[in-house]
Amino acid sequence: MQTAERLRDHDHHHDHDHDHEHDHRRETIYAWARAALLIGLGLYFVYNIVSGNLANYINARFAWLSVVAAALFLLLGAAAVYRLLRHGHSHDDAHHDHDHDHDHGAFSWGVIAVVAVPLVLGTLVPSQPLGASAVGGSFNMDAVASGGAMTFTIAPLDRNVLDWVRVFNATDDLSALNGQEADVIGFVYHDDTMDDDVFMVTRFTISCCVADSVAVGLPVQWHDVPPLDTWVRVLGRFELGTFRGEQKPILRPTSVEVVEQPAHPYLYP
């Protein structure tokens, strides 16, 4: 009878040790996944900073936050790897991880999955700035009207699309802009509300990130409208005319030149 009891105790301890080992192995896999995710996020931020793709997501003046985030992710990931390599086989650490798995395992795997999805998408989907498809026919000129007075101090040929929009908003008599020269760069936007020989030379503005982006543009009348999303440099003079049923300064070009997309495609209010 004592022999049978010893056998039962042995089997119980064996099963307990087996379950404990299984839980520890599962928690170790989770810990490595967490460390890999942290390092992956850090490297993703580094890649976007080095490649310049960061400008497709946020205002340049907030780039330092991404540098801080990259450093934190890499430090946390490195610390997690160090802990795994140093303590991964210790009995005390295994026991701690076993308890942690019971408390947080299911929830933590869910968090890893949620965080991993944008990382995977960001890695697989090429980074591109907003273009004509994101305009949707809406140009919110009022959202960027501030700063018009200061814009008047900029020489006309040095003004970008946003500067000119601010000038329009700050000018009581738009006919006063007749004959003023402009030299602007933007992408081509055209829809069914425009005449066949009219397009908008367009830029997106962002105050913080692409979530608060606003499309701004200048109407251009040209005999050969380039394809949508083509980046162009337009040189010409403004003349007051009718655009979408309203009196607007319309840019009459002397030349429309196809150019490369700027390194910083967005303008910053």
Side-chain angles (χ1 to χ4, degrees):
M1 186 172 179
Q2 290 180 348
T3 302
E5 289 179 354
R6 284 197 297 270
L7 287 174
R8 283 196 299 271
D9 289 342
H10 174 76
D11 290 341
H12 174 74
H13 287 302
H14 176 75
D15 291 341
H16 176 76
D17 291 342
H18 177 76
D19 291 341
H20 184 80
E21 181 181 352
H22 174 75
D23 289 341
H24 176 57
R25 184 164 55 247
R26 182 175 59 182
E27 179 61 20
T28 300
I29 293 172
Y30 160 73
W32 276 110
R34 181 176 56 190
L37 181 60
L38 288 168
I39 293 174
L41 286 169
L43 292 176
Y44 179 69
F45 272 89
V46 170
Y47 167 75
N48 281 296
I49 293 168
V50 173
S51 67
N53 287 341
L54 196 65
N56 293 337
Y57 301 108
I58 65 172
N59 190 317
R61 67 174 177 264
F62 298 119
W64 66 272
L65 291 173
S66 296
V67 175
V68 172
L72 287 175
F73 282 131
L74 290 174
L75 285 173
L76 289 172
V81 169
Y82 175 77
R83 179 176 179 275
L84 281 164
L85 293 177
R86 183 175 181 181
H87 302 294
H89 300 291
S90 71
H91 180 272
D92 291 340
D93 210 47
H95 181 71
H96 170 76
D97 286 347
H98 176 69
D99 293 339
H100 177 77
D101 179 67
H102 280 300
D103 293 339
H104 306 291
F107 174 74
S108 297
W109 277 112
V111 171
I112 283 183
V114 169
V115 176
V117 168
L119 176 60
V120 172
L121 292 177
T123 303
L124 298 180
V125 179
S127 170
Q128 292 183 344
L130 298 174
S133 61
V135 174
S138 176
F139 291 85
N140 190 347
M141 304 305 190
D142 295 334
V144 293
S146 62
M150 184 177 296
T151 304
F152 279 104
T153 64
I154 303 173
L157 287 175
D158 293 332
R159 294 172 186 163
N160 58 36
V161 172
L162 176 59
D163 294 332
W164 279 111
V165 169
R166 285 174 163 169
V167 167
F168 293 173
N169 280 280
T171 302
D172 295 328
D173 181 11
L174 293 175
S175 63
L177 300 176
N178 282 340
Q180 288 204 19
E181 292 183 289
D183 180 358
V184 293
I185 292 176
F187 64 86
V188 173
Y189 176 78
H190 178 86
D191 61 30
D192 295 338
T193 67
M194 304 176 192
D195 294 336
D196 292 340
D197 62 346
V198 174
F199 68 92
M200 299 280 281
V201 57
T202 312
R203 298 289 287 265
F204 274 96
T205 71
I206 59 173
S207 297
C208 177
C209 62
V210 293
D212 58 30
S213 61
V214 175
V216 294
L218 304 173
V220 179
Q221 188 168 30
W222 185 244
H223 58 82
D224 186 16
V225 175
L228 288 177
D229 281 323
T230 303
W231 281 86
V232 292
R233 179 184 181 187
V234 181
L235 285 81
R237 296 176 182 272
F238 285 106
E239 291 183 16
L240 195 62
T242 302
F243 176 74
R244 287 181 167 178
E246 298 181 8
Q247 289 291 296
K248 295 284 186 183
I250 298 176
L251 190 54
R252 316 282 186 179
T254 55
S255 69
V256 175
E257 175 189 358
V258 175
V259 296
E260 293 291 328
Q261 175 185 294
H264 297 283
Y266 301 128
L267 299 176
Y268 309 113

